[in-house]
Structure formats: C-alpha cells, structure tokens
Amino acid sequence: MDVENTDCPAAEYLVKRKVLDELRLDEVAKRKTWSNKPPLGEQVKESLRCSVPKLKHTVLRWVPVFGWLPQYNFRENAIGDLISGCSVGIMHLPQGMAYALLASLPPVFGLYTSLYPVLVYFIFGTSRHISIGTFAVISIMIGSVTERLAPDSNFVVNGTNGTGSVNTAARDEYRVQIACSLTLLTGIFQILLGVVRFGFVVTYLSEPLVRGYTTGSACHVCISQLKYLFGIRPARFTGPLSLIYTLVDICRLLPETVVPELVVSILALFVLIVVKEINACYRQKLFLPIPIELFVVVVATIISHFCGLRDTYNISVVGEIPSGVKAPQVPDASLFSKTIGDAFAVAIVGYAINISLGKTFALKHGYKVDSNQELVALGLSNTVGSLFQCYSVTSSLSRSLVQESTGGKTQLAGVISSVIVLITVLKLGPLFENLPKAVLSTIVLVNLKGMFKQFMDVPMLWKSNKADLLVWLVTFISTILLNLDLGLAVSIGFAMLTVIFRTQLPSYSILGNIPGTDLYLDTDTYMEAKEIPGIKIFRSSTTIYYTNAEMYLEALQEKTGIEIGKLLTEKKKRDEKLKRKQEKEKKKAKNEAKKQKAAVSHLSTGMTEGKFSAGLKEPNQQNSVALYLSEKPRESPDEGQANWAYQHDMADSESDTGCDDGDDSITRESQHGVEEKRRTCGLTTHSIILDISTTSFVDTVAVKTLKNIFRDFGEIDLDIYLAGCQACVVAQLEAASFFSETIPKSKLFVSVHDAVLQILHQPGHPDLVLDMPCTTQM
C-alpha cells in the first residue's frame, strides 16, 4: 500500500515490558536446558538402520534421474527438450573440435568429450538447464598441462633430408594419455569432495574472483588461438610470464603470416560476428537462433575440399578424424604424481563454473540445485569420461543459455544433443577432415565475447565495492602473469586475506538514542542520535575474536575517551600517596601521644593538687585532638569513594577545570558531592554498554579480553554491561566460565535499551530517568 495516497497515519507500535537481563530472559522465555539431538550412539544406530523409505531416499539423492524421469511430462516438455537438444547438439560439433585444439588434442577428442560426460550428468546431475561438455577455460588448463609434459621438442625425429620433424602421432597419443589421467584424477577429487559434503568450498570462490579468473583465462585462450589465425608457429613457453613471452614471439613472427589463412580467418570472423549480433538483436522474434557456427564449419569444409586450400595455399586443416568410438581403457596412473596439483585446480575451477551457472538457472526457474550432488555428478562425468578418452568437462555458458532460451526443461535435452554428436562421430566425422583450423579458432574467439564483456565489472565495482574490485584485479593480473594454476592459488590466497583484513579492520562507533524510541544509532552518522549523559554505548561492526580483540580494546578506550592504563597508573600513584600520608599522620599522632603521656607524668609528680587539676585539663584537650588525627583517615560508611575513571589526568584537570580540592577533600565527600564534582569537571561517564549483537562467536582470546575489560574498568569504579548477546554466544561464554560473582548474568541484557533503562533506574540518577521514557514508539 502506498502510504502517501492514503489518509492512514504511519504505522506505529508501543512497547511496554519489564527490563530483561539474561537471568530474567531465561525465566520469561523458558530457556531450554536440554538438547533435542539424540545421543551419539543413537545417531550411529539410526544411520546404520536400513528401511525401505530410507533406501528410496538415498537412491533418489544419489541418482536424481529416478526422481524426475518417471514423472516426465511429455506434453509440456518434449517439444522444448527436442528443439533445445538439437540446437545444443549442433553447437557441440564445432565447439568440441575447436576446444580440443585449446587442449592441444586432436579435434575428435573434443567430440568424445561432448558425448559421454553429457550422458553421465543426465543420470546424476540436479540442474535442468546447464550444458555439460567442453569449455574454453578448462580446455586451456588441460592444454597447459599436456604441452608442459609433452612438448614438441620431445618428439622430434630426423627426416630423410636431415631436417627435423615432429612425430605428431606419437605426440598426440601421449598427450591424450596425459589428458585422460588428469581427467580421472580430477573426477576422483570431485567425487571425494562431494561424498564428504564439501560443496561449501565453492563459497570461497567469490563472484569477483571467478569472473576475474575467467576473464584472465579468456586472454590465455585468445593468445593461444592467434597462431592459427595468422598461420604462424610461435615457440612454446611455460611457467610465469609465459603469456607475455608468447605474445612477444607472435608479434615477432607477424611478417611470416600466411596471407590466405589470415583471409579465411577474417572472413569467418566477419560472418560469425554479424550473424551472432543478428541473433542477439532478434532473439525474441527468432524461433531458433541461427546456427551460424555449424554453417560456417560446413561451408568452410566444402570450400577447402573443392578448392584444395591445404595443398594450394598451405592452409592448416583438421586432418584425419577416425570414425566410430573406441573401447574404454584405464588411464595411466603413473602420471598422477605429475598432474595432481593441476587436477585439483581443474576440479575446483570446473565445479565453481558449474555450480554458479546451475544456481543461476535454478533461481530463475524456481528449483533447487544440490551443491554436493553436483560435485558427485561432475566427478562421475569426468571419471567415466576419462575411460573413453575424454578430457575434463564443465558447463558452458553459451550452450547453457541456448539450451534454456530454446525451451529446454530437463536434461533430456542433453541426451538429444549427445545423439547428434554420436551420429557425427560414427558417420560424419571424416567429412570434416578438410576443415581449416583457422575457422575453429574464430569460433573460439567469437564465443569469448561474453567473457571479455566482464571487463565492464571494473567500473561497476569501482562504484560499488572497491575491495571486490581489488580481488577482481589481483585475480586477473595474477592469472595473466602466473598462468592458470599459480594464478588461481594466488587469487584464493588474496581473497582470504581480504576477508581477514575486513575482520581485522572493522568500524567502531558510539551509539546514541533517537529521542522517543528504543533505537540506538551511530552518533557520527545520525544527527538525531544523542548520547545519554553518563553512559557510553560502544559497538563493533564485526565479531570479536583473536585477530581483532586487541584493537577492540584500543578502540573502546579511544571512542570513550577513557585511557584505562593511564587511569590505573594514576590511581595506583594516588593510593600509594594516600597510604604514605596516612602512615605519616599515624606516626605523627603516635609521637604526639607519647609527648602528652610524658607531660602528664611529669606534671603529676611536680605540681600541687590545684595545679595538677589545671594541668590535667590541657592534656585531655590535646588527647582529643590526637584521637581525631588518628581516626581522620578512616572512611565512614556514609562517605563516597573516589572514582578515578573521571580523573583523566589530574595535573591537567586540576589546572584546567579548577577541581583542585586535594585528596583529603575527595575522600571526605559524600556520594552526592562526588557526583556534583564530576558534573562540574565535565567527567560524568559512570557506565559503559558493550553492544555485541554483531558477534556470532567468541574464542578464548575474546573471552579473556571481555574479562579484562570488566576487571580493569571495575577497578576505576566504572560499570560495564553487555547487550544484544546471541544465545549461541551466551552458551559459549558459559562454557568458558565467563560468568562469576564479579561478572554476574545480571550484567547481560537482551538489548541496549534494556541496559540503559536498568542503569537509569539505579540510585543516583534520578534526573536522567525522566529523560528516558519506558514506553517507546516507532
């Protein structure tokens, strides 16, 4: 309802209840003292107990296809899945062959990768819209490993004319073994992480990190394809700065560009870009997006075959594509030790991309994606795929968007796309042997458009969150300079550091009350927030634990203006001074008493009775004075105690404020006199409330810090209260023996307002109670 268009007053509420500290809250809310969880033994027995419903639930959880396939609605979903599957299958063909080149593998292995893992994910996956298969980032990560472990220099053989040549057949065979071993190890990692419910690991890969990483990976992909566009053969570089060295070498070889190959690349790029823009502009009107990639592949293959581009113009083509599928074989486990680090990186990156896309579509269409089951499904896709000579897979952004936009409802669309790929592998593969590699490279480059658009994150993050911008930039730069594996490690480490720095550098504030309400806001942010005289309300923006506990104490002293160390030292000096003065006066009184006793004795022996009577009167007077001096330092029950918390610097305060009554006058003042003196000096703080509502847990360091605050501030007669403590934190404080006779639970309040009211209703603050009504309204 629009409030401005009605005559109804603004919503309001009134609150009237008793002030609640932790003890009263336990009585009112009836806090539970028992746990609802069964004993550990019962939990173990229950987990081992087998029943039909439990077995059914377990099977449906691990094999989701049994849950949705029997309920498949052919009338509503079949046509959409069929159209979507055909569209995605057509995209699989050129992308599979193109991305295989990124992995430094023969193109046919890209087709294998677009076939088997898709079928496995159909059975075990929980997302309905993502398209599993080859992806540029994963392909380039695989390619960096295959070229590092199987460089061309290891397969050079001598020709008949004395020149060296590369045994491409042996090289490709070994690279396939490396890729399959890496994929199997990647799948094992993902399955293990899924079984132990480690799906939350993706939460450590923030969106800026993933987007910066994929953008940097896109740059690697782009540079790796330039050699096919220009028809040159740059040297292979590995390790940090290899991308820079490769780019420099490509620039050096530009004069050797094969012009016909460059012409083919430019024509293919032009056609692909124009038609893809048409698809984007008219996506609402087109029944299906124009499959321009497939058209370009078919036309380029026909032209290359009939014009003899390979023989006439020396244009590099795909080469032999064997028909049929190969029998499964176990990858070489001896390569695990060489690829274990890369396998873990591929597993994490592949899962991060997969789950981010899956959750995006799930949120849009209103269903749930199981993050742990996605790990298992992706791991099984890689594990089974490695047996059929596939390399690591993940979901593709471009294919997933096509699968969703063309009406795909379930993963049955993936099965249809696999059928199209299977037909191609069995019968149509040899038809693409004359396809120029430059055309495949242009397909890769055009599909990187979405990733390069992520550069627009930089101005957006500059305006919204500079910490996330820093994560994005560091991830991008480290990926560019240190390659994909080291770049990912550095990026995750830096992202963790930003989290640590954010918790170590929280904002601290003094809260003030909004008059007439129970709201307490930062006085530096809100002009209407007024501090309550005599009370300081202190809040930290984050959890108090070992990394920021010391800073919390320092900020508390700075914000409240109370330097605890200085005041404790000053109090100690005053106590010592007072003690010395008392001892001195006591000694002086004792000497005076001895003198009086000696005088009485002397007069009693040498005077007459009249003189004796006159002389006796004088000593009694002197004795009474001596008695008064000896009892003077003693404090009567009605006399107030000096509160050293209000004496920030006695030398300065006495000279600046004129409050120089001295130690004796302070010890003799009543409580009313002490309060009057504090107000005169402008030092009226008597209570501090620590708002710890933002604290989600406490460790031993935090507990110790809070205990020290109560102890030190208590020594200077300052009352400390806690407010807004969560139930889990209260339980942790109890377990750490935080509460005691000196820190009772009555010092812990439900809210800041409860603590304020309790303080103001204590004796000694009658003038402030009138300014803080118990009934509040919003």
Side-chain angles (χ1 to χ4, degrees):
M1 180 181 292
D2 189 357
V3 177
E4 296 181 357
N5 297 334
T6 65
D7 296 329
C8 298
E12 63 180 22
Y13 75 90
L14 299 177
V15 179
K16 186 176 182 180
R17 60 172 174 80
K18 292 182 179 180
V19 173
L20 296 178
D21 58 22
E22 188 64 25
L23 294 175
R24 294 172 183 165
L25 177 66
D26 292 346
E27 296 176 0
V28 172
K30 297 181 180 179
R31 180 183 178 185
K32 296 180 180 180
T33 57
W34 65 91
S35 175
N36 291 328
K37 292 183 178 181
L40 181 60
E42 291 295 329
Q43 295 183 38
V44 173
K45 290 181 181 179
E46 181 63 27
S47 64
L48 297 177
R49 189 175 292 117
C50 184
S51 62
V52 174
K54 187 175 181 180
L55 178 62
K56 180 180 178 181
H57 174 74
T58 303
V59 171
L60 292 180
R61 189 184 70 175
W62 291 105
V63 191
V65 69
F66 291 151
W68 62 266
L69 189 59
Q71 304 173 4
Y72 185 80
N73 191 326
F74 283 90
R75 179 175 298 179
E76 294 183 1
N77 302 332
I79 296 178
D81 285 341
L82 178 62
I83 296 174
S84 175
C86 293
S87 302
V88 174
I90 291 172
M91 292 183 65
H92 265 302
L93 300 179
Q95 287 189 0
M97 291 187 290
Y99 292 154
L101 296 180
L102 292 179
S104 298
L105 301 174
V108 69
F109 292 96
L111 297 178
Y112 296 157
T113 306
S114 301
L115 172 60
Y116 299 105
V118 178
L119 297 176
V120 176
Y121 186 83
F122 162 77
I123 299 173
F124 297 100
T126 59
S127 175
R128 304 174 188 173
H129 295 91
I130 61 174
S131 174
I132 291 292
T134 56
F135 187 58
V137 174
I138 300 298
S139 298
I140 194 66
M141 295 180 73
I142 299 295
S144 65
V145 179
T146 56
E147 293 196 12
R148 184 184 77 237
L149 299 181
D152 291 344
S153 57
N154 291 357
F155 299 92
V156 174
V157 294
N158 293 328
T160 56
N161 55 357
T163 60
S165 61
V166 177
N167 187 347
T168 56
R171 181 200 64 186
D172 291 343
E173 182 181 356
Y174 187 56
R175 286 181 176 179
V176 170
Q177 293 180 12
I178 295 172
C180 292
S181 299
L182 175 62
T183 302
L184 176 60
L185 194 54
T186 298
I188 293 174
F189 278 136
Q190 290 172 333
I191 293 174
L192 291 177
L193 292 177
V195 169
V196 299
R197 320 299 290 174
F198 207 64
F200 69 89
V201 70
V202 75
T203 59
Y204 292 97
L205 300 177
S206 63
E207 183 179 0
L209 187 148
V210 172
R211 293 175 71 87
Y213 184 78
T214 53
T215 306
S217 302
C219 293
H220 279 274
V221 173
C222 181
I223 298 300
S224 69
Q225 296 305 292
L226 293 179
K227 61 182 180 181
Y228 298 111
L229 264 64
F230 295 102
I232 56 179
R233 299 293 180 267
R236 170 66 183 175
F237 299 95
T238 59
L241 300 179
S242 61
L243 182 68
I244 307 300
Y245 296 143
T246 302
L247 184 60
V248 171
D249 198 35
I250 289 175
C251 294
R252 181 181 62 84
L253 295 174
L254 283 180
E256 303 177 9
T257 299
V258 178
V259 177
E261 199 152 6
L262 179 61
V263 172
V264 172
S265 302
I266 294 175
L267 289 175
L269 277 175
F270 176 78
V271 174
L272 287 170
I273 291 174
V274 170
V275 178
K276 278 185 171 290
E277 288 299 321
I278 294 175
N279 283 337
C281 293
Y282 297 97
R283 62 179 178 273
Q284 302 296 338
K285 298 181 180 181
L286 293 174
F287 180 70
L288 288 175
I290 302 174
I292 185 59
E293 295 169 323
L294 183 62
F295 289 165
V296 168
V297 167
V298 172
V299 172
T301 303
I302 294 173
I303 295 175
S304 175
H305 175 72
F306 288 101
C307 296
L309 297 183
R310 178 176 58 177
D311 299 329
T312 306
Y313 300 102
N314 195 26
I315 291 179
S316 178
V317 297
V318 169
E320 181 183 359
I321 298 180
S323 298
V325 294
K326 296 185 177 181
Q329 60 182 21
V330 179
D332 188 0
S334 63
L335 296 171
F336 285 175
S337 60
K338 301 178 181 179
T339 59
I340 184 169
D342 302 284
F344 188 77
V346 172
I348 296 300
V349 174
Y351 173 63
I353 296 170
N354 188 76
I355 195 63
S356 59
L357 278 177
K359 288 190 173 182
T360 300
F361 289 118
L363 183 63
K364 181 178 179 180
H365 293 276
Y367 62 92
K368 184 179 180 181
V369 171
D370 188 338
S371 58
N372 292 298
Q373 181 60 26
E374 283 297 296
L375 260 175
V376 174
L378 199 61
L380 288 172
S381 298
N382 283 322
T383 302
V384 175
S386 67
L387 303 178
F388 293 91
Q389 297 185 329
C390 304
Y391 64 89
S392 295
V393 296
T394 188
S395 55
S396 166
L397 177 60
S398 59
R399 293 196 307 272
S400 299
L401 288 174
V402 170
Q403 182 166 324
E404 186 261 348
S405 62
T406 53
K409 303 293 184 183
T410 67
Q411 279 298 326
L412 200 61
V415 176
I416 297 172
S417 68
S418 298
V419 172
I420 294 176
V421 174
L422 179 61
I423 294 173
T424 304
V425 170
L426 293 177
K427 297 296 182 182
L428 305 179
L431 299 179
F432 296 102
E433 292 181 353
N434 289 316
L435 173 64
K437 290 184 178 179
V439 174
L440 294 178
S441 297
T442 58
I443 293 174
V444 172
L445 292 176
V446 172
N447 284 321
L448 293 177
K449 175 186 174 183
M451 293 188 185
F452 285 128
K453 279 186 175 181
Q454 294 177 157
F455 279 111
M456 299 305 298
D457 292 350
V458 174
M460 184 271 292
L461 292 176
W462 173 262
K463 296 178 182 179
S464 60
N465 194 314
K466 292 182 173 57
D468 284 344
L469 172 63
L470 198 57
V471 171
W472 196 101
L473 292 176
V474 169
T475 302
F476 175 77
I477 294 173
S478 61
T479 305
I480 291 292
L481 299 181
L482 302 177
N483 280 355
L484 299 175
D485 46 1
L486 290 178
L488 178 63
V490 171
S491 303
I492 295 177
F494 182 80
M496 294 295 99
L497 286 178
T498 60
V499 175
I500 295 174
F501 288 145
R502 289 180 184 182
T503 57
Q504 280 190 318
L505 300 175
S507 60
Y508 300 101
S509 55
I510 293 293
L511 306 184
N513 177 255
I514 303 298
T517 73
D518 61 347
L519 300 178
Y520 292 83
L521 305 176
D522 186 1
T523 55
D524 293 334
T525 305
Y526 298 92
M527 293 187 294
E528 289 299 321
K530 307 298 182 184
E531 286 191 51
I532 301 172
I535 301 176
K536 294 287 186 181
I537 306 171
F538 179 73
R539 181 173 67 188
S540 169
S541 64
T542 190
T543 295
I544 310 167
Y545 67 115
Y546 72 96
T547 63
N548 58 21
E550 184 177 353
M551 288 183 290
Y552 182 85
L553 180 57
E554 294 174 356
L556 173 62
Q557 299 180 72
E558 179 182 353
K559 287 288 186 178
T560 58
I562 300 174
E563 299 181 18
I564 186 67
K566 187 176 182 180
L567 295 179
L568 287 174
T569 303
E570 188 67 29
K571 181 178 182 296
K572 184 178 180 181
K573 291 181 180 179
R574 285 181 165 275
D575 290 344
E576 292 177 352
K577 183 178 179 181
L578 182 61
K579 183 177 180 181
R580 289 195 301 268
K581 188 172 183 179
Q582 290 176 345
E583 292 177 352
K584 184 177 180 181
E585 290 180 348
K586 185 177 181 181
K587 186 177 181 181
K588 183 178 179 181
K590 186 183 292 186
N591 292 335
E592 289 292 335
K594 289 181 179 180
K595 290 180 180 181
Q596 293 297 332
K597 185 176 181 181
V600 170
S601 177
H602 178 72
L603 290 175
S604 64
T605 57
M607 292 187 175
T608 61
E609 184 178 359
K611 291 182 179 180
F612 175 81
S613 300
L616 185 60
K617 184 177 181 180
E618 184 177 357
N620 281 337
Q621 294 174 349
Q622 293 177 354
N623 276 337
S624 64
V625 174
L627 180 62
Y628 170 77
L629 292 175
S630 64
E631 293 181 351
K632 179 179 178 181
R634 300 176 185 174
E635 298 176 353
S636 71
D638 297 331
E639 290 178 344
Q641 297 291 331
N643 190 338
W644 305 110
Y646 313 113
Q647 312 298 324
H648 291 273
D649 190 344
M650 290 307 300
D652 296 337
S653 62
E654 289 176 0
S655 60
D656 295 340
T657 63
C659 300
D660 53 354
D661 299 33
D663 297 335
D664 296 338
S665 62
I666 292 178
T667 56
R668 288 195 305 266
E669 283 179 332
S670 64
Q671 181 65 33
H672 177 73
V674 172
E675 296 296 336
E676 194 67 33
K677 175 177 171 57
R678 291 169 184 167
R679 285 194 290 270
T680 304
C681 297
L683 304 170
T684 57
T685 301
H686 52 75
S687 302
I688 294 179
I689 301 174
L690 304 179
D691 182 2
I692 56 175
S693 57
T694 58
T695 297
S696 58
F697 70 92
V698 289
D699 57 6
T700 55
V701 177
V703 172
K704 185 176 180 180
T705 300
L706 292 175
K707 282 184 178 181
N708 292 342
I709 291 174
F710 273 88
R711 181 198 64 197
D712 295 341
F713 282 83
E715 288 185 8
I716 56 176
D717 301 325
L718 214 78
D719 293 328
I720 303 295
Y721 301 87
L722 300 179
C725 191
Q726 301 180 42
C728 60
V729 177
V730 175
Q732 293 171 4
L733 292 175
E734 290 176 340
S737 302
F738 176 77
F739 299 105
S740 61
E741 293 183 0
T742 56
I743 311 177
K745 276 193 174 182
S746 58
K747 293 285 187 178
L748 176 57
F749 289 87
V750 174
S751 67
V752 172
H753 196 58
D754 287 85
V756 170
L757 292 177
Q758 179 66 24
I759 294 170
L760 296 183
H761 280 77
Q762 291 177 355
H765 313 296
D767 53 333
L768 298 179
V769 175
L770 299 177
D771 298 333
M772 183 60 59
C774 294
T775 302
T776 63
Q777 63 183 16
M778 282 288 290

